Amino acid sequence: GPLASLLQAAPRAALPPWAASCPSAPPPLTSPPLSSPQQGELNSFLWTIRRDPPAYLFGTIHVPYTRVWDFIPDNSKAAFHASSSVYFELDLTDPYTISGLASCQMLPHGENLQDVLPRELYRRLKRHLDYIKLMLPHWMTPDQRGKGLYADYLFNAIAGNWERKRPVWVMLMVNSLTETDIRSRGVPVLDLYLAQEAERMKKTTGAVERVEEQCHPLNGLNFSQVLFALNQTLLQHESLRAGSLQAPYTTEDLIKHYNCGDLNAVIFNHDTSQVPNFINTTLPPHEQVTAQEIDSYFRQELIYKRNERMGKRVMALLRENTDKSFFFAFGAGMA
C-alpha cells in the first residue's frame, strides 16, 4: 500500500552489551509487507515514514514498561521526544475508552454466565477462579504490597463482575490470571506508559481506532467456538495448576523476543490482541478444525482488517497535517 512505500527501517543504534544474550534470529517465516528491520540485529521496532517533518511508526507490546524500557534503543526514544503528536490504537488515558471496553464485554439483557454456560463448564470456571483468589496473596510481590495493592482489591480489579461478562472475555481474563501476570500488575504497560508520558509532555495525543472496532470482532465468534476456546483455556490452566504442564508460551518469551528485536517471534506470539493460539497437534480432528477456524477468524479480524483500517487512518492524518511530526505507537504484532 502507499504507507509501505514510505516506510524505511530507522538506522540502528550500536548493539548494547546485553544484546549478546539474543539468539541470532532465524530468517523471516514470511517476508513482512513493511520493510522490516534486519532480523537478529538490534533495532527494534521503529520505522520512519519519509516526509518532512518525519513521522514514525513504533511497535509496542502489552507488558509492564519497566521490563522493556532499558532495551528500547535511543533512536526510538528520541523519535518519541521529537514528535509533536503521538497516536495510539486506543486512547487508554480516556475514561470513556475504559468504560466503553467494559460495557462491550458484558452479556446483553442482564444475563449471567450461569444462564449461558453448560453447567459443568461453569462449575470448573468457578472452581478455577476460587483457586486464583486463594493463591493471589501468595503470588503478590512485597513491592506490590508496599504500594498498598492488596489481594482482594487486585482480584476485583481483574475479575470483579466476571459472572456478567461474555464467555470470550472471561476466557481472556483466565489467561491473564497467572502468577507471572499477577506479579507484574501495578506497573503501566508500555503503550499506557507512552500515553502518560505524551500527556505529561503536553504533546497532542489521539487514537486511530474506536473501542467497538477492537471489541466487536471478539464478540463475533459463534457460541460453539467460544465454548471450545473457554474449555481449552480452562484445560490448560487446570493442567498448570496440577503441575503437569509448562505454559506453552509465556510473557517471558515475548519480552525476550521483543528486547532482542525479533519481529517474527513477536508477531507469531499472538500478543497484540492478547488472543491465545488453540492450534495444537494433540486435538482430535474435528477440534483441530474448530481451532483452525478460530485462528483464521482472529487473524482476519484482528490483524489484516485492522491493519488496513489503521493504515488508511494513518495516511489520512499525515495528509491532513502536512506540517506536524507524528509518532504512531501500535502493537508490534500488527505488522
Side-chain angles (χ1 to χ4, degrees), residues 54 86 168 247:
V86 182
V168 69

Side-chain angles (χ1 to χ4, degrees), residues 168 217-229 290 293-294 297:
V168 69
L218 283 155
N219 293 347
L221 282 179
N222 71 42
F223 193 59
S224 63
Q225 289 171 326
V226 170
L227 289 186
F228 170 82
T290 307
E293 283 170 355
I294 293 174
Y297 173 81

Side-chain angles (χ1 to χ4, degrees), residues 149-226:
L149 272 179
Y150 50 96
D152 282 351
Y153 168 81
L154 200 52
F155 184 82
N156 283 326
I158 303 168
N161 219 1
W162 65 270
E163 306 207 29
R164 289 273 301 105
K165 286 189 175 183
R166 294 170 183 263
V168 69
W169 294 99
V170 171
M171 179 266 293
L172 294 176
M173 179 190 86
V174 167
N175 259 331
S176 70
L177 285 167
T178 61
E179 181 169 2
T180 319
D181 286 15
I182 293 299
R183 292 170 74 89
S184 71
R185 290 283 173 149
V187 177
V189 291
L190 178 59
D191 29 10
L192 177 58
Y193 174 71
L194 288 173
Q196 290 169 342
E197 283 295 281
E199 299 238 303
R200 193 177 63 77
M201 295 172 181
K202 306 272 190 286
K203 294 179 183 294
T204 305
T205 57
V208 297
E209 272 195 306
R210 293 189 287 277
V211 165
E212 55 280 6
E213 292 171 332
Q214 244 193 42
C215 187
H216 285 166
L218 283 155
N219 293 347
L221 282 179
N222 71 42
F223 193 59
S224 63
Q225 289 171 326
V226 170

Side-chain angles (χ1 to χ4, degrees), residues 16-65:
W18 49 262
S21 65
C22 293
S24 63
L29 297 182
T30 56
S31 33
L34 304 180
S35 55
S36 91
Q38 283 302 289
Q39 299 296 312
E41 297 182 357
L42 214 107
N43 173 41
S44 75
F45 298 102
L46 182 72
W47 288 267
T48 305
I49 300 172
R50 288 194 295 268
R51 76 200 269 277
D52 186 21
Y56 302 97
L57 193 54
F58 178 67
T60 62
I61 53 171
H62 212 67
V63 302
Y65 81 94

Side-chain angles (χ1 to χ4, degrees), residues 30 33 209 267-268 272 295-312 333-335:
T30 56
E209 272 195 306
I267 290 177
F268 293 106
T272 331
D295 194 69
S296 32
Y297 173 81
F298 281 151
R299 251 168 218 286
Q300 197 52 43
E301 295 293 325
L302 294 172
I303 298 186
Y304 305 137
K305 282 188 183 173
R306 283 177 70 208
N307 269 355
E308 196 173 325
R309 194 171 56 224
M310 289 162 69
K312 284 179 176 154
M334 300 298 293

Side-chain angles (χ1 to χ4, degrees), residues 82-196:
S83 303
S84 58
S85 302
V86 182
Y87 273 70
F88 300 90
E89 291 173 23
L90 291 176
D91 184 352
L92 296 170
T93 58
D94 179 357
Y96 287 105
T97 303
I98 309 305
S99 62
L101 278 171
S103 59
C104 189
Q105 295 178 12
M106 290 300 162
L107 281 163
H109 324 301
E111 289 172 329
N112 278 317
L113 264 184
Q114 204 163 1
D115 309 328
V116 298
L117 288 184
R119 182 178 303 163
E120 181 54 18
L121 190 59
Y122 179 82
R123 199 185 62 76
R124 282 168 56 211
L125 174 62
K126 185 155 172 36
R127 212 173 129 190
H128 183 66
L129 291 173
D130 288 343
Y131 161 81
I132 298 290
K133 198 164 190 174
L134 201 66
M135 294 307 290
L136 265 188
H138 307 285
W139 286 351
M140 291 177 68
T141 63
D143 200 35
Q144 285 172 318
R145 292 200 192 87
K147 284 186 188 153
L149 272 179
Y150 50 96
D152 282 351
Y153 168 81
L154 200 52
F155 184 82
N156 283 326
I158 303 168
N161 219 1
W162 65 270
E163 306 207 29
R164 289 273 301 105
K165 286 189 175 183
R166 294 170 183 263
V168 69
W169 294 99
V170 171
M171 179 266 293
L172 294 176
M173 179 190 86
V174 167
N175 259 331
S176 70
L177 285 167
T178 61
E179 181 169 2
T180 319
D181 286 15
I182 293 299
R183 292 170 74 89
S184 71
R185 290 283 173 149
V187 177
V189 291
L190 178 59
D191 29 10
L192 177 58
Y193 174 71
L194 288 173
Q196 290 169 342

